[in-house]
């Protein structure tokens, strides 16, 4: 069962996939591929919101952390202690296999090993702050679960298009560009009706 952006659901009868490729400097979508068994199914690349799991960790951690002055060498506690505000009976997430408690751990190591506790342990960011950072890093916030798991571990539904925007920001020195599917629309006389390049310039501060 898959959930659409509007809250409606539909059943996928077979495994499906979607992919988005975009230019990190301009936000221009270079390729967008999705598979639909039926013509009336949503476009999975732009509408199909699937839990993204650990793939949310780089855009959730890397770009916002750098914005806050943290570095790959910043130490985070990877222990079985409870994390303030964490919404589960144990008071913290579990690392894979419920182990790998490495104590003081760098952000770099936590990301490389995909430690859930490291991803969730930055106490300097409350839920509202993390939502704001998601908006800046992914261009999305209205359908993010405003919980620890939703914000740090990818239980929220996020589209492949939104994920492409989030990862492209990392490759673009932390600057997010809204994905665009066209540059200009002109009429039969060559008059420009819509110009997405102006939006790109505004985003770049030009």
């Amino acid at each position: 069962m898959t959930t659409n952006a509007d809250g409606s659901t539909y059943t996928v009868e077979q495994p499906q996939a979607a992919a988005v490729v975009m230019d990190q400097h301009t936000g221009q979508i270079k390729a967008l591929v999705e598979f639909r068994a039926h013509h009336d199914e949503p476009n999975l690349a732009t509408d199909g919101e699937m839990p993204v799991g650990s793939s949310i960790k780089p855009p959730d951690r890397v770009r916002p952390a750098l914005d806050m002055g943290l570095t790959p060498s910043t130490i985070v506690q990877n222990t079985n202690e409870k994390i303030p505000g964490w919404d589960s009976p144990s008071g913290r997430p579990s690392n894979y296999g419920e182990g790998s408690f490495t104590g003081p751990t760098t952000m770099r190591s936590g990301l490389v090993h995909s430690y859930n506790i490291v991803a969730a342990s930055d106490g300097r960011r409350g839920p509202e702050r993390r939502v704001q950072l998601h908006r800046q890093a992914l261009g999305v916030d209205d359908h993010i679960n405003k919980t620890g798991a939703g914000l740090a571990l990818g239980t929220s539904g996020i589209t492949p298009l939104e994920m492409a925007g989030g990862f492209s920001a990392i490759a673009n020195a932390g600057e997010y560009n809204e994905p665009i599917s066209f540059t200009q629309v002109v009429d039969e006389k060559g008059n420009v009706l819509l110009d997405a390049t102006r939006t790109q310039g505004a985003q770049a501060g030009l």
Side-chain angles (χ1 to χ4, degrees), residues 25-26 172 175-177 197-206:
H25 300 300
T26 65
N172 192 38
E175 292 296 326
Y176 171 78
N177 284 312
T197 60
R198 293 182 180 177
T199 303
Q200 294 172 338
Q203 291 174 342
L206 301 177

Side-chain angles (χ1 to χ4, degrees), residues 48-177:
E49 296 178 8
M50 303 294 290
V52 294
S54 290
S55 61
I56 195 64
K57 291 174 183 175
D60 174 71
R61 293 289 290 176
V62 176
R63 184 267 175 103
L66 295 176
D67 285 349
M68 296 175 64
L70 308 182
T71 74
S73 298
T74 296
I75 297 297
V76 177
Q77 295 299 324
N78 179 26
T79 69
N80 63 355
E81 298 297 321
K82 292 184 177 181
I83 297 174
W86 189 263
D87 48 313
S88 75
S90 65
R92 60 169 176 80
S94 299
N95 287 330
Y96 181 74
E98 187 55 353
S100 303
F101 299 123
T102 55
T105 303
T106 64
M107 286 184 56
R108 179 190 289 110
S109 180
L111 187 62
V112 168
H113 296 283
S114 195
Y115 293 140
N116 290 337
I117 291 175
V118 173
S121 291
D122 188 355
R124 283 168 282 190
R125 295 188 291 169
E128 293 305 318
R129 176 58 174 157
R130 293 189 83 133
V131 168
Q132 180 183 358
L133 293 171
H134 269 271
R135 185 187 305 115
Q136 297 169 350
L138 291 167
V140 53
D141 69 334
D142 61 331
H143 48 268
I144 288 180
N145 299 329
K146 296 178 177 61
T147 63
L151 293 165
L153 305 183
T155 63
S156 299
I158 299 176
T159 69
L161 181 60
E162 290 166 338
M163 286 296 291
F167 274 89
S168 71
I170 297 175
N172 192 38
E175 292 296 326
Y176 171 78
N177 284 312

